[in-house]
Amino acid sequence: MLQSLFTDHLTADPETENTPRAVLEADFSFCSPVNPSSPKLLSYSKEVAQLLNIDSGNGLTHSWQEILSGSVLAKGSKPFAMRYAGHQFGNWAGQLGDGRAINLGNKVINNQSFELQLKGAGPTPYSRAGDGFAVLRSSIREYLCSEAMHHLGVPTTRALSLMTTGDWVTRDMFYDGHPQKEAGAIVCRVAPSFIRFGNFQIHAAYQEIEQLKKLANFTINNYFPHLITKDINKDTYLQWLDEVCHSTADMIVHWQRVGFVHGVMNTDNMSIHGLTIDYGPYGFLDNFDPNWTPNTTDAEGKRYRYANQPFVAHWNLVKLAEAIYPLIEAAKPLEDILNKFPAYYEPQWQRMMANKLGLGQVFADDNTLFKDLEKLLSLVETDMTIFYRQLANYDGQLNSIPSLLKDAYYDDKHLEQKYLSARNQWFLAYTARLERNPLSFEEKKALMDSVNPKYLLRNYLSQQAIDKAEKNDYTEINKLLEIMRNPYSEQPEYQDYYQKRPEWARHKAGCSMLSCSS
């Protein structure tokens, strides 16, 4: 049984025909999934299924598999696609909306609401030139990364299931005029809601102030009720924006901690819950490169590169504030909140970096140590994940560094003296800093191993699973899901997955950069 919070309380598009069009003065359009020809469940997250109370103990029931494939509707479901707008790569893009996502409704467990959404289940009025379907390769990436990020401790939407549809979808993967047919697939995504900054932007852009207020009140009533004293007023909206700023800063700190690069931080891809949403051309840093972006569309400007993510998040929050300005009718209180974002982000980033280095306290001069380390990591190709994981074993003996870090370098045989001198200088500073550390060696290592993952869903690992799946071998999907359930554990049986990106994967499609429609 599903509930329909969004459709029961907000404004529906009066047009019911499911054709691409401009939609006005509405929050959503009703539309139904396309019935797939021969759906097949490839994998599901036991944790999410148990959270939703739909795991029978022997897997998902047949009835739920039908629901998650779009073949049948759950009782109470009123499927819909959300209307929203956004800034894409810094430019206003106008109406966007759920082009290949259909929301099924909410499942309420212990007074907590979870919204279920099918990605790749068919066209919606917001599909524009797209067909509304998704291909297997991109669906595998979204499914695995949603769950991997959760187990890394990163705020994220979840993924319940991955299904093939039995139908073929045409895609031009490289935008080079050579489209090919690919297997269609559907991922069921789960979140408190899928409301984005762009949901508010579209109402503000079209001067739909009543709808804007209605959406803001709905959002606060259902997802931020602790902000309400007697009624919702201007102060409530400001407190809500402040909380979104906090949760967004927290999310970005986690991204930086594990080297995650979203790749397409448009305002329509920013969740009001501070969750990572929309896994398109994402990637994890292999070698530490602050200027790396996984998005081929962004390859030249690098707006969404790793180092820029905190600044883009702040910029996106400014656009959210501009959207809700009509509810406040005063710029200064909004500016005051936005100006606090660096003050929210920076101390959290410093505490995160201290944890990565095993420091029990953050001192005023630690920022130099942190920044110098990032400079050092970018001097030569150094695997970020392996470097930090190995660093946990550093006992203050400088002569142990070469053997300790050997596996972190992509070319350890040609390290120039200039780099070795810089490395030695940083380690001298780090060693001196450890002398002021209140933690024992064992405590330091435990702290570092709890925040520096051993296993990451590297792009090349996902691509290997995709390559096998395209040959009807789905074992690697479930194997990766199992490994990523415990990314901080040693898991010696999976030691082969703790290694740098292989040289063959440096420029291989799917292993380095991806397009927005991948």
Side-chain angles (χ1 to χ4, degrees):
M1 176 69 179
L2 297 182
Q3 297 182 16
S4 300
L5 290 179
F6 203 86
T7 59
D8 286 352
H9 292 90
L10 294 170
T11 306
D13 171 13
E15 180 68 55
T16 57
E17 188 176 352
N18 190 359
T19 56
R21 61 182 183 276
V23 177
L24 299 174
E25 298 185 342
D27 292 287
F28 65 91
S29 301
F30 287 113
C31 55
S32 296
V34 172
N35 200 356
S37 62
S38 54
K40 177 182 178 181
L41 179 67
L42 301 187
S43 180
Y44 79 100
S45 167
K46 294 179 181 178
E47 295 89 347
V48 180
Q50 289 167 357
L51 188 67
L52 298 173
N53 289 342
I54 62 173
D55 190 339
S56 67
N58 294 312
L60 294 176
T61 63
H62 178 69
S63 60
W64 267 103
Q65 290 187 41
E66 289 187 314
I67 292 167
L68 298 177
S69 72
S71 300
V72 300
L73 294 180
K75 185 178 179 182
S77 177
K78 301 174 184 176
F80 67 96
M82 288 197 302
R83 172 181 176 248
Y84 48 81
H87 283 82
Q88 297 190 325
F89 301 97
N91 299 307
W92 177 246
Q95 177 181 294
L96 297 167
D98 287 332
R100 55 177 171 180
I102 296 177
N103 302 273
L104 300 181
N106 305 81
K107 197 163 187 357
V108 180
I109 308 292
N110 298 325
N111 295 319
Q112 188 174 3
S113 179
F114 300 93
E115 189 161 335
L116 277 62
Q117 182 188 83
L118 300 184
K119 184 172 182 178
T124 77
Y126 309 98
S127 294
R128 295 177 289 178
D131 56 21
F133 297 108
V135 296
L136 181 59
R137 58 184 163 84
S138 62
S139 300
I140 289 173
R141 285 172 50 80
E142 171 132 17
Y143 171 73
L144 286 175
C145 200
S146 299
E147 289 305 284
M149 290 281 273
H150 169 75
H151 293 295
L152 284 167
V154 182
T156 179
T157 57
R158 302 293 300 274
L160 169 58
S161 59
L162 170 66
M163 307 193 77
T164 49
T165 62
D167 301 307
W168 295 96
V169 180
T170 301
R171 288 288 183 272
D172 187 350
M173 180 179 177
F174 300 107
Y175 297 110
D176 61 359
H178 295 88
Q180 295 182 338
K181 289 188 178 297
E182 301 186 47
I186 296 172
V187 173
C188 179
R189 311 197 291 188
V190 180
S193 87
F194 290 89
I195 300 173
R196 307 137 184 275
F197 293 8
N199 290 80
F200 301 90
Q201 285 185 283
I202 197 161
H203 289 315
Y206 290 93
Q207 293 296 300
E208 299 164 357
I209 307 306
E210 282 305 309
Q211 280 85 1
L212 175 66
K213 184 174 183 179
K214 192 175 179 180
L215 175 63
N217 290 358
F218 168 84
T219 301
I220 293 169
N221 269 313
N222 286 281
Y223 307 110
F224 300 84
H226 55 280
L227 299 178
I228 304 172
T229 49
K230 293 182 180 179
D231 57 5
I232 296 177
N233 52 42
K234 292 182 180 181
D235 286 339
T236 317
Y237 299 134
L238 292 170
Q239 291 173 43
W240 170 65
L241 177 64
D242 188 59
E243 188 159 322
V244 175
C245 286
H246 267 284
S247 62
T248 301
D250 179 63
M251 176 186 71
I252 301 296
V253 168
H254 279 290
W255 286 6
Q256 306 303 94
R257 173 175 64 84
V258 298
F260 176 79
V261 188
H262 187 281
V264 59
M265 287 179 68
N266 298 329
T267 56
D268 57 295
N269 292 334
M270 298 292 292
S271 162
I272 52 94
H273 300 288
L275 300 174
T276 313
I277 191 172
D278 288 341
Y279 290 93
Y282 70 82
F284 291 91
L285 291 181
D286 288 309
N287 57 293
F288 184 83
D289 179 0
N291 290 317
W292 185 73
T293 173
N295 192 343
T296 55
T297 310
D298 195 27
E300 196 142 324
K302 294 187 183 297
R303 176 180 175 84
Y304 297 145
R305 64 191 183 274
Y306 172 80
N308 213 32
Q309 291 183 135
F311 307 104
V312 174
H314 193 187
W315 191 91
N316 288 343
L317 286 162
V318 170
K319 297 305 165 186
L320 175 62
E322 290 174 356
I324 66 170
Y325 171 83
L327 305 179
I328 313 296
E329 296 181 311
K332 189 174 187 308
L334 292 168
E335 291 170 353
D336 289 344
I337 291 170
L338 293 168
N339 289 338
K340 293 178 187 175
F341 180 81
Y344 296 155
Y345 177 82
E346 191 64 25
Q348 287 191 72
W349 182 84
Q350 291 179 356
R351 179 65 263 175
M352 175 270 287
M353 287 297 294
N355 289 343
K356 288 181 76 66
L357 295 180
L359 305 177
Q361 299 169 277
V362 180
F363 294 151
D365 58 348
D366 283 342
N367 209 41
T368 300
L369 186 72
F370 303 154
K371 295 292 186 181
D372 285 349
L373 175 56
E374 292 200 325
K375 290 177 186 175
L376 178 71
L377 290 175
S378 61
L379 285 178
V380 300
E381 282 197 316
T382 310
D383 191 274
M384 175 181 172
T385 301
I386 294 176
F387 179 93
Y388 279 110
R389 189 72 181 191
Q390 294 299 112
L391 188 63
N393 298 310
Y394 179 63
D395 58 4
Q397 301 300 312
L398 294 177
N399 59 5
S400 70
I401 295 170
S403 59
L404 196 66
L405 300 181
K406 177 180 172 61
D407 290 340
Y409 296 117
Y410 281 80
D411 182 4
D412 69 303
K413 294 180 175 59
H414 299 91
L415 298 177
E416 295 181 358
Q417 188 57 47
K418 181 179 179 182
Y419 167 77
L420 294 174
S421 297
R423 185 179 74 179
N424 193 54
Q425 184 177 359
W426 184 84
F427 268 92
L428 284 170
Y430 179 47
T431 304
R433 177 63 181 82
L434 288 176
E435 292 175 359
R436 296 188 288 160
N437 196 17
L439 304 182
S440 67
F441 173 81
E442 291 75 17
E443 291 170 329
K444 172 187 78 77
K445 178 172 168 52
L447 173 59
M448 295 175 75
D449 284 348
S450 72
V451 297
N452 296 319
K454 179 172 181 177
Y455 299 99
L456 275 184
L457 188 71
R458 297 174 185 262
N459 270 2
Y460 86 89
L461 293 176
S462 294
Q463 190 59 44
Q464 287 179 322
I466 291 167
D467 290 344
K468 287 186 176 182
E470 290 177 343
K471 298 175 182 176
N472 299 316
D473 178 355
Y474 309 113
T475 56
E476 195 67 15
I477 296 172
N478 289 304
K479 187 176 183 180
L480 284 175
L481 186 65
E482 182 61 30
I483 295 169
M484 301 307 158
R485 282 191 171 109
N486 299 287
Y488 300 100
S489 300
E490 285 299 318
Q491 301 189 80
E493 67 273 30
Y494 297 124
Q495 187 69 20
D496 288 349
Y497 289 78
Y498 177 57
Q499 60 176 289
K500 301 183 291 288
R501 175 198 62 227
E503 189 58 31
W504 60 259
R506 182 181 290 271
H507 301 297
K508 178 178 167 63
C511 296
S512 53
M513 300 183 74
L514 302 105
S515 67
C516 283
S517 63
S518 294

